[in-house]
């Protein structure tokens, strides 16, 4: 953000955009977060009992999580990196149910291979990705072209 404000960078993508005067913010995509487990279970409440790994995706997802599950979810590990949470899931004993909310793109193939299991009735959370740029940038047409391309590829 400092480089954007200094003018050395024209466009950045963030999960948690700043609220700064002169900066424009536009939601351009979102990441679907799915509850996955090491064993097939039917209910989200069952998946979150013993070894729940809470991945801290920021304020917006924390609010969604609290709204769905309250503040009393027993958390075994609190991590801020989904890749580390995935490694913990994959290394967990098959005897112990372990679960975490992870990006669908990260776990889709592992679920197809039945190495992990999506909890069908669990809510899906979304983490928005924002384009952030200076509102008065002299490269505005280039920024607009880049954002149009982002919309094209998603």
């Amino acid at each position: 953000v400092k480089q954007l404000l200094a003018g050395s960078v024209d466009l950045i993508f963030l999960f948690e955009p700043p609220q700064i005067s002169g900066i424009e913010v536009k939601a351009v995509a979102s990441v679907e977060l799915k509850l996955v487990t090491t064993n097939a279970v039917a209910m989200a409440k069952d998946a979150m009992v013993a070894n729940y790994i809470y991945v801290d995706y920021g304020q917006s997802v924390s609010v969604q999580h609290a709204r769905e599950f309250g503040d009393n979810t027993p958390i075994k590990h609190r991590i801020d990196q989904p890749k580390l949470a995935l490694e913990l899931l994959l290394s967990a004993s098959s005897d112990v149910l372990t679960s975490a909310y992870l990006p669908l793109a990260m776990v889709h193939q592992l679920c197809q291979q039945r190495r992990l299991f999506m909890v069908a009735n669990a809510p899906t959370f979304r983490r928005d990705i924002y384009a952030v740029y200076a509102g008065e940038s002299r490269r505005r047409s280039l920024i607009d072209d880049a954002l149009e391309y982002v919309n094209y590829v998603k």
Side-chain angles (χ1 to χ4, degrees), residues 66-83:
R67 190 174 342 161
E68 291 292 336
F69 300 112
D71 294 329
N72 298 326
T73 305
I75 296 171
K76 175 79 172 187
H77 302 284
R78 183 178 296 267
I79 297 174
D80 63 359
Q81 297 178 20
K83 187 169 175 60

Side-chain angles (χ1 to χ4, degrees), residues 92-113:
S93 166
S94 61
D95 297 339
V96 179
L97 178 67
T98 305
S99 62
Y101 266 94
L102 293 173
L104 176 60
M106 181 182 278
V107 298
H108 179 73
Q109 186 174 8
L110 293 166
C111 290
Q112 286 184 326
Q113 297 168 351

Side-chain angles (χ1 to χ4, degrees), residues 2 13 34 50 52 76 84 94 104 109 114 131 133 140:
K2 288 178 184 178
F13 295 93
K34 296 285 195 175
Y52 178 57
K76 175 79 172 187
L84 182 56
S94 61
L104 176 60
Q109 186 174 8
R114 300 190 58 78
Y133 51 95
R140 182 60 186 260

Side-chain angles (χ1 to χ4, degrees), residues 33-151:
L33 303 172
K34 296 285 195 175
L35 182 61
V36 294
T37 66
T38 52
N39 299 346
V41 295
M43 304 297 291
K45 65 179 177 59
D46 298 331
M48 300 174 76
V49 172
N51 289 321
Y52 178 57
I53 302 167
Y54 179 84
V55 183
D56 186 352
Y57 291 106
Q59 184 65 26
S60 64
V61 175
S62 292
V63 169
Q64 294 173 65
H65 190 278
R67 190 174 342 161
E68 291 292 336
F69 300 112
D71 294 329
N72 298 326
T73 305
I75 296 171
K76 175 79 172 187
H77 302 284
R78 183 178 296 267
I79 297 174
D80 63 359
Q81 297 178 20
K83 187 169 175 60
L84 182 56
L86 177 62
E87 290 173 13
L88 284 171
L89 278 174
L90 294 174
S91 67
S93 166
S94 61
D95 297 339
V96 179
L97 178 67
T98 305
S99 62
Y101 266 94
L102 293 173
L104 176 60
M106 181 182 278
V107 298
H108 179 73
Q109 186 174 8
L110 293 166
C111 290
Q112 286 184 326
Q113 297 168 351
R114 300 190 58 78
R115 293 180 63 199
L116 293 176
F117 302 88
M118 273 188 231
V119 180
N121 75 328
T124 297
F125 299 138
R126 297 197 183 285
R127 188 170 191 206
D128 291 329
I129 301 170
Y130 298 91
V132 182
Y133 51 95
E136 299 296 321
S137 174
R138 51 185 156 62
R139 294 190 179 119
R140 182 60 186 260
S141 66
L142 185 59
I143 292 169
D144 289 341
D145 289 346
L147 295 178
E148 193 172 310
Y149 180 74
V150 168
N151 285 328

